Amino acid sequence: MSALEPRISETTAAPPPQGGILGPAYRTLSIGIISVIFLIAFEATAVGTAMPVAARELDGIGLYAFGFSAYFTTSLFAMVLSGQWADRQGPLRPLTVGIGAFAAGLVCSGTAQLMGVFVVGRAVQGFGGGLVIVALYVVISRAYEERLRPAIMAAFAASWVVPSIVGPLAAGTVTEHLGWRWVFLGIPALVVIPLMVALPAIRRAASGPVETAGGPPPFDRRRIRLALGISLGAGLLQYAAQDLRWLSLLPGIAGAALLVPAVLGLLPRGTYRARRGLPSVVLLRGVAAGAFIGAESFVPLMLVTQRGLSPTWAGFSLALGGVTWALGSWVQSQGRTAPYRERLMVTGMVMVAVAIAAAPAVLVEAVPVWTLALAWAVGSLGMGLVIGSTSVLLLKLSAPTEAGANSAALQISDALANVVLLAAGGAAFAALGGGAVGAGHAATAGAGASHPAAFLVVFLPMACVALVGAWVATRLDPVPEKAGAAAV
């Protein structure tokens, strides 16, 4: 194989059956699970818009990052549990329980009177989200042929388009006229639709354990313990990062002691050495998601506190990104681009790095706010290329009996990177006076102007992390270039 040829080989199958993922054999199932993703997407865009107002009203700007990272912390445990549960009993039960917990967490946050209670609600919601996302990956691995998986992943990304456009506008309007609490309390009503549509179709197409000669293996209690360790460790590290005192070294050390062995036991061997193949796929997912989400979480807060935008417009500035993310996912799903998947992913990570580095330019009053919207659209296009491709490659490299465990590893990498980078960004943000950024931003754009460095120390390191991801994206081919050439 020459250096000029595509590095990742993928089988180009015959054209899909009539209608593809919306054909008679898949229509109900596809609509059902896409509805679940739609719910998660609407929640993410709406909550991100309301979060700055909620944090200020609950006097919790200093814990702002916790409002996001608590979700990812509990989802770490839930992902491993869901992978074990789905591999042994099928994905239906973890999906049902997950949707219920997701809704309960929203209600808890929406009724909170203290920032601590709000964070607890986000943690419950994260537990439900972790169960749901891994269960859906198992559904895809069981119910869809390999040649249809890129298309269903693209459909997942497309289901973010409407929420990305409507979500910030709806959430901002509700926040300004009814209050931020109704953003959280109104979303659980949407749970009814996925339950009614998705669950019967999943029961028919993908319920029950995988049929093997010896029957499904028992729960791996070691992995469950490691999952609990990774969640507790991540939580302790977040606490230490936010409470910047010498005494915080103790929970920080305890968190690292729990986290490191748990990560090594739950992720594929060689993940953090970027070993070729599956380990690098899992690592890239975390690097990409962590850098992008770690930066994006602070975009609405920066626009509200530094440029005086309303919550509606601050959230709406990210709306174009939902469209371009879906476009990127659609591009990676096309058969003619599949042989060049690795090159697309390298390009995508460079786009993410450029977008994150460009975002804090709006701290300069002379820079129009719309430039951030354009930059984020470029970064989101790159994310669409990368995230959809990692999902496709993960399922391609997984045996049927390992789909749940490997999907859990992919999501753990995603969530863990979010937790660690949000904790690091939140600590740096607080250390440079970020806790006071939104203390009293009235109508003036300059109320937080004395704290621009608090945002710079979030965005610029995240851009560097994204550049590391561009290098990891060169190592996704399980066969090194020289070995491939020798084989030819």
Side-chain angles (χ1 to χ4, degrees):
M1 179 182 293
S2 71
L4 299 177
E5 292 178 299
R7 293 283 306 282
I8 296 178
S9 60
E10 300 199 20
T11 303
T12 304
Q18 184 177 4
I21 62 172
L22 293 179
Y26 297 101
R27 184 180 298 121
T28 303
L29 178 62
S30 297
I31 292 174
I33 61 178
I34 290 171
S35 297
V36 176
I37 296 298
F38 182 91
L39 167 66
I40 294 174
F42 192 86
E43 177 273 339
T45 55
V47 168
T49 300
M51 190 75 79
V53 178
R56 282 196 304 187
E57 185 174 312
L58 296 174
D59 195 23
I61 289 289
L63 298 177
Y64 180 79
F66 266 123
F68 293 96
S69 60
Y71 180 101
F72 299 114
T73 300
T74 52
S75 70
L76 288 167
F77 174 73
M79 288 168 185
V80 177
L81 177 63
S82 184
Q84 296 268 312
W85 199 351
D87 279 344
R88 286 151 183 80
Q89 299 182 14
L92 186 61
R93 289 183 181 177
L95 184 60
T96 305
V97 174
I99 291 177
F102 189 83
L106 284 166
V107 172
C108 180
S109 292
T111 57
Q113 300 299 318
L114 300 172
M115 189 64 179
V117 177
F118 179 90
V119 171
V120 169
R122 291 288 289 165
V124 173
Q125 187 186 347
F127 179 80
L131 291 176
V132 168
I133 193 65
V134 172
L136 287 179
Y137 271 72
V138 176
V139 170
I140 293 170
S141 70
R142 293 189 183 187
Y144 293 87
E145 301 174 42
E146 183 178 336
R147 54 192 169 83
L148 293 179
R149 291 173 189 166
I152 191 63
M153 292 299 177
F156 275 18
S159 68
W160 280 76
V161 174
V162 173
S164 296
I165 297 173
V166 177
L169 181 61
T173 302
V174 170
T175 298
E176 292 176 30
H177 296 284
L178 298 178
W180 64 268
R181 297 182 185 278
W182 288 104
V183 174
F184 291 84
L185 297 176
I187 293 176
L190 299 176
V191 171
V192 175
I193 297 175
L195 282 175
M196 292 178 61
V197 177
L199 298 185
I202 292 172
R203 183 180 293 110
R204 292 191 299 269
S207 61
V210 175
E211 295 183 4
T212 58
F219 273 85
D220 187 338
R221 294 182 180 181
R222 176 179 173 273
R223 290 184 66 86
I224 298 298
R225 288 195 299 269
L226 290 174
L228 184 59
I230 202 173
S231 289
L232 290 176
L236 288 171
L237 281 178
Q238 289 173 75
Y239 174 79
Q242 289 292 125
D243 189 17
L244 299 177
R245 297 179 298 171
W246 285 108
L247 192 61
S248 299
L249 286 174
L250 295 178
I253 293 171
L258 287 169
L259 189 65
V260 173
V263 169
L264 294 176
L266 289 172
L267 298 185
R269 184 173 299 177
T271 295
Y272 287 101
R273 290 185 288 106
R275 196 175 75 185
R276 290 186 172 276
L278 183 63
S280 284
V281 172
V282 171
L283 177 60
L284 179 60
R285 178 59 164 262
V287 170
F292 190 80
I293 299 301
E296 186 178 61
S297 299
F298 285 86
V299 168
L301 184 66
M302 180 171 64
L303 293 177
V304 168
T305 61
Q306 300 298 298
R307 298 301 297 266
L309 267 66
S310 68
T312 301
W313 285 108
F316 200 65
S317 66
L318 304 177
L320 182 60
V323 178
T324 56
W325 188 313
L327 176 61
S329 189
W330 177 82
V331 169
Q332 68 81 30
S333 73
Q334 301 304 295
R336 59 182 176 273
T337 62
Y340 307 96
R341 191 177 297 281
E342 181 183 286
R343 297 180 187 179
L344 288 175
M345 296 172 80
V346 173
T347 301
M349 288 309 304
V350 172
M351 295 167 71
V352 171
V354 170
I356 295 174
V362 298
L363 292 169
V364 179
E365 291 287 339
V367 176
V369 172
W370 56 261
T371 59
L372 186 147
L374 289 180
W376 220 248
V378 171
S380 297
L381 176 62
M383 286 294 287
L385 294 172
V386 172
I387 297 300
S389 292
T390 57
S391 301
V392 171
L393 290 176
L394 183 282
L395 295 178
K396 179 182 178 63
L397 297 172
S398 300
T401 55
E402 298 174 345
N406 288 344
S407 295
L410 188 75
Q411 298 302 324
I412 287 170
S413 179
D414 187 317
L416 181 62
N418 281 319
V419 169
V420 171
L421 291 178
L422 276 169
F429 182 73
L432 275 79
V437 162
H441 191 289
T444 62
S450 61
H451 302 282
F455 291 98
L456 286 174
V457 296
V458 172
F459 286 96
L460 297 185
M462 299 297 178
C464 294
V465 172
L467 285 177
V468 172
W471 171 76
V472 176
T474 66
R475 301 182 58 79
L476 305 179
D477 189 345
V479 181
E481 183 178 345
K482 291 183 179 179
V488 173

